[in-house]
Amino acid sequence: MGRPPQYHRPVMVDRVVSWLLPLDGGVILDATYGGGGHTEAILAALPASRVLAIDRDPDARPQRPHPRMAFHTADFRSLDELLEREGVDDLAGALFDLGVSSHQLDVGERGFSYRRQGPLDMRMGPDAGWTADEVVNRWNEEEIARIIREYGEERFARRIARAIVGARPIRDTTHLADVVAGAVPPGRRDRPHPARRTFQAIRIAVNDELAALTEGLELAVRLLRSEGRLIVISYHSLEDRIVKQRFAAGARDCICPPELPVCVCDRITELRILTRRPEIPSLSAIEDNPRARSARLRVAERI
Ligand SMILES: C[S@@+](CC[C@H](N)C(=O)[O-])C[C@H]1O[C@@H](n2cnc3c(N)ncnc32)[C@H](O)[C@@H]1O
């Protein structure tokens, strides 16, 4: 589909395809197209299906889209409008492969990587509310500490936030990585880099990733047809928790207080969870593609 092979190597492709195989013929949503590796495998394995693919990053637009796919540069928060525009009533399957693509990490100018010099940007697409520069050079220390603690689950959030504010103006990604590394006590530095969690936190804040995920899942559940499947691959515990809790809430039936003699909530169970525990990549897959290391795949089916 016209993407250079190094754009991104898709994770757990065989598992994604095998969960979608029974749905051949229906429309499959790829909510996070990236380099299109999952879409390509889905189109090959489901010859009667169409794929509706979206990505908020304009770089992800395929040069030569497959005849059975439509692509939109959009946030998956606007899924319902896109389906309407495409004349699609419901989805047979939906895939969310979260986080950033290798392309986004590898291109220094995008500012995602603590390993590459680049501007403090980190926007997945131009629709993001602010840049990493605004977070790092303008937000107050409290706010910076909060996001590093909440979105980075970083023990030294307060020290790091203080160091960032004290080092302003922070010029670029390598400057930021050095300031963060210097704020962490020697001997307690995270691997592979002491700035990993801080960079993750700033990226999540810039792109409002957790709110987007919550909204995107909500829409996907609503738009799936009966027996349609929702597959989510997450890469850190904050994402996985949101997915797990949404699936569990959808799989619950009556939510009336136990003391009520009859059900008054009339709640209809929406989802059947197909993966009791998340699936993880095999050791050889991780050896082959280290970015698969933290992947967790969960599947639920619309009832
Ligand atoms: C891990 S990559 C997906 C890789 C893809 N599955 C492949 O096979 O190449 C995640 C992609 O999701 C996109 N993305 C993240 N949040 C998004 C959102 N809210 N709406 C649309 N795309 C999003 C990113 O821009 C990135 O390209």
Side-chain angles (χ1 to χ4, degrees), residues 8 32-33 35 37-38 55-56 74-76 97-100 104 124:
H8 183 86
T32 50
Y33 181 78
H38 283 114
D55 199 298
R56 67 193 283 193
D75 192 306
F76 51 61
D97 178 24
L98 302 170
V100 274
Q104 288 165 332
M124 284 180 178

Side-chain angles (χ1 to χ4, degrees), residues 12 15-16 18-20 229-234 240 243-248 251 271-280 296-302:
M12 303 182 81
R15 297 307 306 142
V16 168
S18 82
W19 284 113
L20 292 176
R229 289 179 175 180
L230 172 56
I231 305 176
V232 188
I233 308 176
S234 59
D240 188 50
V243 180
K244 184 176 162 184
Q245 287 176 353
R246 181 61 188 89
F247 281 13
L271 296 174
R272 180 179 306 122
I273 298 171
L274 301 184
T275 45
R276 280 283 146 213
R277 288 162 173 273
E279 294 186 347
I280 55 173
R296 299 270 174 284
L297 182 150
R298 294 185 188 269
V299 189
E301 188 171 75
R302 189 83 163 91

Side-chain angles (χ1 to χ4, degrees), residues 19 29-30 34 36 59 61 73 76 80 92-93 97 126 137 143 171 202 206 215 218 231 242 260 263 291 293:
W19 284 113
L29 168 78
D30 183 345
D59 283 3
R61 175 171 289 283
T73 300
F76 51 61
D80 42 357
D97 178 24
N137 284 316
E143 271 297 285
R171 293 179 308 274
I202 298 173
V206 165
E215 280 179 52
E218 213 45 59
I231 305 176
I242 291 173
L260 284 187
C263 170
R291 282 184 184 161
R293 197 178 42 241

Side-chain angles (χ1 to χ4, degrees), residues 202-271:
I202 298 173
R203 190 200 91 204
I204 291 175
V206 165
N207 296 289
D208 199 15
E209 286 177 41
L210 302 182
L213 174 59
T214 304
E215 280 179 52
L217 291 180
E218 213 45 59
L219 287 169
V221 169
R222 178 141 53 82
L223 294 166
L224 277 180
R225 69 171 200 214
S226 162
E227 298 191 349
R229 289 179 175 180
L230 172 56
I231 305 176
V232 188
I233 308 176
S234 59
Y235 294 87
H236 54 79
S237 55
L238 299 168
E239 288 171 343
D240 188 50
R241 196 175 310 144
I242 291 173
V243 180
K244 184 176 162 184
Q245 287 176 353
R246 181 61 188 89
F247 281 13
R252 210 172 298 138
D253 46 18
C254 172
I255 51 167
C256 290
E259 56 276 15
L260 284 187
V262 289
C263 170
V264 293
C265 72
D266 285 336
R267 192 183 158 85
I268 300 164
T269 311
E270 298 170 297
L271 296 174

